[in-house]
């Protein structure tokens, strides 16, 4: 599309089912009751002047520019705050209104810099537009006297400036911060002429305020007061392309606004079904990694990992890789080969990687980072409900009465959805947080949890079973739902199990460390408080009992009838942008796309007929098994697309040993990551801005990824996979991602109704999309469970093998922070590092005092697996006996200390429970200092031989 602002209707849409008909400027219009006159006029193409009104916040009525005349009404009411009424007759353009509006605009312009021609917002400024709309050509009052023209500009934020001299105090930024984001960081300070927008009375600038840089204020601002630095540097955009964010599993839609081949800004798309025009600091601003100097855009090869890299042509790199794969396959058989798909790549790219491994390599040795985070979700929900995904769309939270957040930190990991959740909490919903750490949701502006259950890490199953005990023994089960929708005999077995006194909150308090009274009250609230919705994250799945915990959550939802309608459900918050899609596309060694087991002859025959090859019926190896086999000498080569397993996977020493033992490691990525230290071939990847395809978010929504600019490396990622496939004789001939999506739809029942045309038309599609659900499935299990009857599963609490003791008396758990993402490969190469320059270790004041530690000190963090060094942050956010850190920086190497313990059903690593000791340290080790400023990466690049 060409560049033009997305239409602003002035006020939010009404959700009323009642319709009202009125007349505006002689034209009849019918709109939902509760619609403002301003929006009704905009619906029929009218353009009532406005400055304080915008359609993502409530009407305010302060600018007095949107005045209208209404037949039979006194005065000239503001159209933004006046609701429509049946038979109402409105005039929006009269001589009287023109005079009033011009007078209002004169007052604004008399205290505004007259630098339009040199202003970076020239021709993209609402104040400028409205001055033209009202026909203002001169200001009668002059420009002398008291004014705000000399105010300084706050440039502290790395992404946008605040030029107070251009502020018209319309309060749009303040309202956006409060209503959309829910941070309440901005306020109007002073009264009358002294009124000014402030980021807080106790801070000096935006950077030191509570602002989370979501960009809502920048988007709401009608002038150049709040504006992206990139617009000032590059200029006004010339065109815009709608695409999908490549960070977390929320799946926000953005307009990528371009000037030539330069990305000027990412603006959240109002029609985005997952984000409704909101964003976070990562999606909105942290896209600079796409053209960072560290990015590799030329292929590289080397015979052994102790040699320097050599830049080569694509033909030589692909030929080199194909020759090694072909040789290994001939000498050791297809099961000596494997690969890893990426949850950051598109559905189409992921599908092709697993196809390459199954059909090209000839084995099922394919795995994905999705198993390392959310495979227990797939297993647990498929066992209980019959499908491997969450049950709701994000909009469903608007109807929740009780929200349970367990093992998730939405404000940091899924901030746009967290804003929706906080809005619902401010409206009166109750919140239960089950987490070892006091996350922000427990207590933040205008939001406070009814109950925080700070459980001991590793005791999720015990806590949930204790809640089930309360629900069953106190007669709070929704028996009608259970009898109709679930297997009654299995329910009775489960009910007898949880009713045992040994599962009571009082008996388990010694295990969980959760006060029994709080746990009982929380269970009662969930069971009786109305619509109950459960949202969970990696704090549930990344445990030795991850699958058991997911099934325990499902048990609670079924027992209380909180499934199959809006406002309820079991909702996994996916960590990366396409975790759901990576699972859907057949990235596990035992499953084809659509979660069909590889041993299923009928499913296998479908693929064999389409692909023209015979498939191995035996499940392949998972990542840890590939590494074990490599060390044993039976696994020789691996193709890794878009993953840094040396930094992200547990037991770093084991990962390094496995990679070092392989004859051919092919890394396909944007940057020379830690895994690339062990690679023989490096194939440069493309960013989400440089490709076409689809992502599937946490609500099963299939959304388009559109090419915004040409790939810096010359190829989209699926094209690179096709080059490798054809070099080993596969004979593929895809010319566009849409053809791959068509193949996915052809072979995957839940995607059978999906097409490139439907996805790119803006149609909201949440799988399953098929004959039974041609328009998709926003809510799952509405009339019955996918598996038929819901299955209650007895979930016995089995303590983790990871135990504390005299040598390792503390428990380490890990998580994420708002400004960084996953292993930080992208966000560390942006200005987001201003907020988080290193991982720190949170420790309770008691534990810190016992060790002689204070905030800012270095500490040695050691476990049975290894050790690292971090700075300390002393805080009561964690309980005594628990420490916490993030894993965004390679210098920290947090996974050096994590063990090889994993979920009993899926091998999902137990990142969240590691027994550790913390002792004072003089500082980071030499290797940590080496990586702290990416200097090692720079040296590696400098050591490369020039291209031939």
């Amino acid at each position: 599309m060409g560049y033009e602002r997305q239409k602003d209707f002035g006020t939010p849409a009404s959700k009323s089912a009642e319709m009202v008909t009125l007349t505006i400027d002689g034209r009849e219009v019918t709109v939902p009751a509760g619609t403002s006159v301003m929006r009704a006029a905009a619906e029929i193409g009218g353009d009532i002047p406005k400055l304080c009104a915008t359609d993502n916040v409530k009407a305010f009525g302060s600018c007095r520019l949107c005045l209208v005349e209404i037949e039979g009404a006194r005065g000239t009411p503001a159209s933004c705050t006046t609701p429509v009424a049946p038979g109402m007759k409105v005039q929006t353009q009269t001589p009287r209104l023109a005079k009033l509006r011009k007078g209002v605009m004169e007052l604004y312009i008399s205290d505004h810099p007259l630098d339009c021609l040199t202003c970076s917002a020239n021709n993209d400024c609402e104040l400028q537009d409205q001055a033209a709309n009202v026909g203002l050509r001169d200001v009668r009052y002059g420009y002398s006297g008291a004014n705000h023209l000399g105010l300084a500009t706050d440039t502290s934020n790395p992404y946008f400036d605040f030029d107070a001299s251009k502020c018209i105090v319309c309060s749009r930024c303040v309202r956006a911060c409060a209503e959309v984001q829910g941070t309440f960081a901005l306020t109007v300070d002073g009264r009358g002429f002294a009124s000014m927008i402030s980021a807080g009375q106790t801070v000096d600038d935006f950077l030191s305020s509570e602002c989370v840089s979501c960009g809502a204020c920048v988007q709401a601002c009608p002038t150049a007061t709040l504006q992206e630095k990139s617009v000032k540097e590059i200029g006004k955009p010339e065109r815009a392309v709608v695409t999908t964010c490549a960070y977390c599993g929320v799946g926000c839609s953005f307009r990528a606004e371009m000037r030539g081949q330069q990305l000027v800004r990412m603006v959240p798309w109002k029609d985005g079904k997952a984000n409704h025009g909101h964003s976070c600091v990562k999606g909105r601003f942290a896209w600079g990694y796409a053209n960072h100097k560290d990015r590799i855009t030329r292929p590289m090869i080397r015979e052994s990992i102790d040699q320097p890299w050599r830049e080569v042509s694509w033909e030589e790199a692909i030929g080199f890789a194909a020759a090694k794969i072909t040789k290994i396959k001939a000498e050791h058989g297809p099961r000596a080969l494997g690969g890893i798909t990426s949850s950051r790549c598109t559905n189409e790219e992921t599908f092709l990687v697993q196809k390459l491994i199954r059909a090209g390599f000839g084995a099922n040795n394919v795995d994905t980072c999705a198993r390392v985070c959310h495979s227990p979700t797939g297993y647990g929900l498929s066992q209980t409900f019959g499908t491997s995904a969450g049950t709701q769309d994000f909009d469903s939270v608007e109807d929740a009465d009780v929200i349970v957040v367990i093992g998730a930190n939405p404000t940091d990991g899924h901030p746009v959805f967290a804003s929706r959740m906080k809005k619902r909490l401010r409206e009166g919903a109750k919140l239960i947080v089950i987490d070892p750490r006091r996350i922000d949701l427990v207590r933040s502006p205008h939001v406070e949890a009814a109950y925080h259950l700070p459980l001991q890490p590793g005791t999720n199953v015990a806590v949930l079973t204790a809640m089930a005990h309360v629900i069953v023994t106190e007669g709070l089960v929704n028996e009608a739902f259970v009898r109709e929708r679930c297997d009654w005999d299995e329910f009775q077995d489960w009910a007898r199990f949880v009713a045992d006194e040994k599962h009571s909150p009082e008996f388990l308090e010694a295990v969980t460390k959760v006060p029994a009274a709080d746990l009982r009250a929380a269970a009662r609230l969930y069971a009786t408080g109305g619509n109950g919705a459960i949202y969970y994250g990696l704090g549930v799945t990344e445990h030795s009992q991850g699958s058991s915990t997911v099934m325990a959550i499902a048990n609670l939802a079924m027992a209380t009838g909180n499934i199959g309608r809006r406002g309820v459900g079991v909702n996994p918050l996916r960590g990366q942008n396409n975790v759901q899609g990576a699972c859907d596309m057949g990235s596990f060694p035992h499953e084809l796309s659509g979660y069909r087991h590889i041993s299923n002859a009928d499913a296998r025959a479908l693929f064999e007929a389409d692909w023209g090859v015979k498939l191995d019926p035996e499940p392949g190896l998972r990542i840890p098994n590939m590494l074990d086999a490599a060390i044993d000498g039976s696994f020789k080569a691996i193709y890794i697309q878009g993953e840094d397993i040396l930094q992200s996977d547990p037991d770093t020493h084991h990962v390094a040993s496995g990679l070092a033992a392989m004859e051919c490691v092919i890394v396909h990525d944007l940057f020379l990551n830690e895994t690339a230290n062990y690679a023989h071939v490096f194939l440069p990847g493309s960013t989400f801005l440089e490709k076409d395809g689809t992502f599937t978010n946490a609500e099963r929504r299939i959304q388009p990824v559109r090419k915004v600019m040409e790939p810096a490396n010359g190829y989209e990622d699926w094209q690179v996979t096709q080059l490798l496939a054809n070099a080993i004789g596969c004979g593929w001939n895809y010319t566009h991602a849409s053809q791959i999506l068509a193949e996915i739809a052809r072979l995957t029942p839940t995607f059978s109704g999906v097409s490139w045309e439907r996805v790119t038309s803006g149609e909201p599609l949440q799988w399953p999309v098929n004959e039974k659900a041609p328009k998709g499935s926003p809510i799952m299990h509405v009339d019955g469970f996918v598996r038929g009857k819901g299955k209650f599963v007895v979930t016995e609490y089995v303590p983790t093998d990871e135990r504390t003791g005299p040598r390792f008396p503390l428990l380490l758990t890990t998580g994420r922070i708002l400004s960084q993402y996953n292993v930080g490969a992208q966000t560390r190469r942006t200005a987001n590092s201003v907020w988080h320059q290193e991982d720190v270790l949170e420790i309770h004041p008691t534990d810190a005092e016992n060790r002689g530690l204070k905030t800012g000190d270095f500490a040695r963090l050691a476990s049975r697996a290894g050790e690292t060094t971090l700075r300390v942050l002393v805080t009561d956010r964690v309980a005594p006996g628990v420490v916490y850190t993030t894993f965004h920086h390679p210098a920290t190497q947090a996974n050096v200390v994590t063990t090889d313990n994993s979920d009993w059903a899926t091998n999902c690593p137990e990142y969240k429970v590691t027994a550790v000791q913390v002792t004072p340290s003089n500082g980071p080790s030499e290797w940590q200092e080496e990586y702290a400023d990416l200097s090692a990466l720079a040296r590696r690049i400098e050591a490369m031989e020039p291209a031939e």
Side-chain angles (χ1 to χ4, degrees), residues 781-798:
H781 318 298
V782 174
D783 299 315
F785 290 100
V786 170
R787 70 180 308 276
K789 293 287 188 179
K791 181 181 180 64
F792 281 86
V793 179
V794 170
T795 53
E796 187 79 53
Y797 167 62
V798 179

Side-chain angles (χ1 to χ4, degrees), residues 294-416:
D294 290 347
R295 188 171 168 194
I296 307 299
T297 58
R298 294 284 302 276
M300 300 184 296
I301 61 173
R302 57 185 177 182
E303 283 291 344
S304 64
I305 62 174
D306 58 357
Q307 295 178 347
W309 285 108
R310 181 165 62 91
E311 265 191 10
V312 296
S313 66
W314 274 103
E315 290 75 16
E316 184 174 352
I318 293 295
F320 181 86
K324 283 188 172 290
I325 290 169
T326 302
K327 181 175 182 291
I328 291 168
K329 185 176 180 179
E331 293 177 356
H332 302 281
R335 292 185 181 178
L337 305 166
I340 300 174
T341 72
S342 175
S343 292
R344 289 194 288 273
C345 288
T346 65
N347 288 321
E348 295 72 22
E349 290 160 348
T350 300
F351 185 83
L352 280 201
V353 171
Q354 64 88 31
K355 179 179 180 179
L356 167 67
I357 293 158
R358 299 187 201 278
F361 293 1
N364 293 309
N365 298 328
V366 58
D367 203 358
T368 177
C369 66
R371 184 190 54 76
V372 178
C373 60
H374 261 290
S375 50
T377 286
Y379 181 85
L381 295 185
S382 65
Q383 293 296 305
T384 51
F385 297 162
T387 190
S388 300
T391 62
Q392 313 294 118
D393 61 3
F394 289 143
D395 290 349
S396 175
V397 76
E398 296 175 0
D399 294 301
D401 300 306
V402 179
I403 298 171
V404 179
V405 175
I406 174 169
N409 186 3
T411 56
D412 283 343
H414 305 85
V416 171

Side-chain angles (χ1 to χ4, degrees), residues 18-81:
E18 179 187 351
M19 303 302 290
V20 170
T21 298
L22 68 157
T23 302
I24 301 178
D25 293 332
R27 290 184 293 171
E28 194 173 88
V29 57
T30 301
V31 293
T35 300
S36 70
V37 169
M38 175 181 285
R39 187 177 183 100
E43 294 279 5
I44 56 173
D47 185 18
I48 299 176
K50 63 185 185 298
L51 283 174
C52 73
T54 186
D55 57 14
N56 66 339
V57 294
K58 297 174 184 175
F60 196 53
S62 70
C63 75
R64 312 310 297 166
L65 202 62
C66 71
L67 307 176
V68 294
E69 293 183 6
I70 300 175
E71 186 176 286
R74 296 178 59 187
T76 51
S79 61
C80 65
T81 56

Side-chain angles (χ1 to χ4, degrees), residues 252-266:
C252 296
S253 298
F254 281 88
R255 280 166 47 105
E257 299 191 348
M258 305 292 296
R259 188 175 182 88
Q261 280 286 300
Q262 283 188 291
L263 179 57
V264 177
R265 61 186 173 194
M266 295 286 282

